[in-house]
């Protein structure tokens, strides 16, 4: 009944959704700019991380452009509480991932974490639905208690005059390392831009013995 008065709208085009459509209408599904990365041996993510992070494989579902269609969905996922968008994209990519040999050897999915203050503000990590669907498609566990985001310490901040540089710096740390020892991990994020976030996470994860890494994101900026 509620739908008659408050019809659910597609986050991409604002048209009314049909009963079988979740957050994304069929028209927008066909308009979203797929990267096709799973078919490409040395895709843009491999190129971006070449010499920075050793990777088993890496992929992103869509291209992301300012004011483009992908941005509308990522924005809704991040700021409007439309968490199901992440699940939809995760199911979409998950179906493709489990057909590629390099991803079949993944043993756990690890999300890029939010700082706990940010998590409290937003109420959810926007990459959770996406990551959990990938884990379920690959039939591996989802570990959100291995990688944590921490703040730069006060002493670091006060040491430097340019405190802004420190407050923007991404600082990650690992815990429960025994869970990831000797494992091939798929690290998931929403958007890859400069690659700084994933590089920073990878640096920490690779300190644990025998860890190998792959990356998957919803989108990569173009
Ligand atoms: Zn639409």
């Amino acid at each position: 009944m509620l739908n008659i008065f408050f019809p659910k709208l597609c986050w991409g085009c604002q048209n009314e959704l049909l009963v079988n459509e979740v957050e994304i209408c069929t028209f927008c599904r066909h308009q979203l700019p797929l990267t096709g990365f799973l078919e490409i041996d040395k895709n843009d993510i491999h190129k971006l991380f070449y010499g920075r992070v050793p990777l088993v494989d890496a992929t992103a579902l869509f291209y992301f452009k300012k004011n483009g269609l992908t941005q509308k969905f990522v924005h809704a996922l991040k700021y409007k509480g439309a968490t199901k968008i992440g699940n939809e994209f995760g199911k979409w990519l998950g179906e493709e991932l489990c057909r590629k040999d390099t991803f079949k050897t993944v043993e756990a999915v690890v999300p890029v974490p939010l700082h706990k203050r940010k998590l409290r503000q937003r109420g959810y990590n926007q990459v959770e639905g996406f990551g959990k669907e990938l884990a379920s498609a690959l039939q591996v566990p989802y570990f959100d208690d291995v990688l944590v985001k921490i703040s730069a310490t006060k002493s670091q901040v006060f040491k430097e005059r340019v405190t802004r540089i420190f407050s923007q710096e991404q600082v990650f740390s690992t815990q429960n390392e025994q869970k990831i020892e000797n494992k091939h991990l798929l690290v998931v994020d929403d958007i890859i831009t400069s690659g700084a976030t994933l590089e920073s996470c990878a640096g920490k994860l690779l300190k644990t013995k025998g860890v190998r890494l792959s990356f998957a994101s919803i989108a990569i900026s173009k």
Side-chain angles (χ1 to χ4, degrees):
M1 273 302 272
L2 221 61
N3 268 12
I4 295 168
F5 304 105
F6 302 104
K8 292 205 164 171
L9 305 180
C10 169
W11 291 98
C13 64
Q14 300 301 313
N15 281 323
E16 215 172 296
L17 290 168
L18 303 175
V19 276
N20 62 329
E21 294 171 338
V22 183
E23 309 287 6
I24 310 157
C25 77
T26 307
F27 177 77
C28 285
R29 269 187 188 264
H30 289 105
Q31 296 299 308
L32 278 160
L34 289 166
T35 63
F37 279 175
L38 287 173
E39 318 291 326
I40 306 168
D41 269 347
K42 291 274 170 273
N43 66 45
D44 288 352
I45 310 180
H46 288 114
K47 288 179 193 158
L48 183 65
F49 289 103
Y50 182 78
R52 294 163 76 186
V53 182
L55 289 174
V56 178
D57 208 344
T59 196
L61 192 53
F62 308 119
Y63 285 114
F64 179 99
K65 264 195 302 191
K66 203 167 168 23
N67 303 319
L69 187 56
T70 307
Q71 189 186 27
K72 292 184 182 168
F73 288 104
V74 172
H75 189 272
L77 168 64
K78 228 165 153 170
Y79 305 111
K80 307 279 182 178
T83 55
K84 281 185 196 156
I85 290 174
N87 294 76
E88 289 303 301
F89 290 163
K91 282 178 209 165
W92 192 335
L93 185 63
E95 240 176 67
E96 297 179 18
L97 278 195
C98 53
R99 278 190 243 125
K100 198 173 174 193
D101 288 344
T102 43
F103 288 103
K104 279 185 201 164
T105 61
V106 164
E107 292 164 286
V109 172
V110 174
V112 168
L114 296 182
H115 190 276
K116 62 174 187 282
R117 194 175 340 112
K118 187 72 156 275
L119 187 62
R120 219 178 301 129
Q121 270 171 16
R122 186 171 297 165
Y124 59 95
N125 180 344
Q126 71 274 9
V127 84
E128 185 174 322
F130 179 69
K132 282 188 170 169
E133 294 293 346
L134 294 185
S136 137
L138 294 167
Q139 298 177 290
V140 297
Y142 176 84
F143 291 153
D144 57 3
D145 58 351
V146 168
L147 201 54
V148 285
K149 189 164 183 182
I150 51 178
S151 307
T153 63
K154 275 184 183 168
S155 62
Q156 267 179 316
V157 174
F158 288 123
K159 242 184 254 170
E160 284 290 325
R161 284 197 180 167
V162 194
T163 56
R164 215 137 66 90
I165 290 173
F166 277 100
S167 61
Q168 286 173 349
E169 194 186 356
Q170 314 226 36
V171 188
F172 296 95
S173 170
T174 55
Q175 58 183 23
N176 302 313
E177 291 87 353
Q178 75 285 353
K179 292 173 81 167
I180 57 167
E181 242 179 50
N182 297 313
K183 287 203 164 75
H184 177 192
L185 307 176
L186 181 64
V187 185
V188 293
D189 202 0
D190 50 358
I191 300 171
I192 297 176
T193 308
S194 68
T197 305
L198 282 170
E199 185 178 7
S200 178
C201 290
K204 298 295 176 187
L205 290 167
L206 288 169
K207 284 186 178 161
T208 297
K209 196 182 83 186
V211 164
R212 282 155 297 131
L213 297 178
S214 289
F215 290 159
S217 67
I218 293 173
I220 179 165
S221 45
K222 205 183 183 186

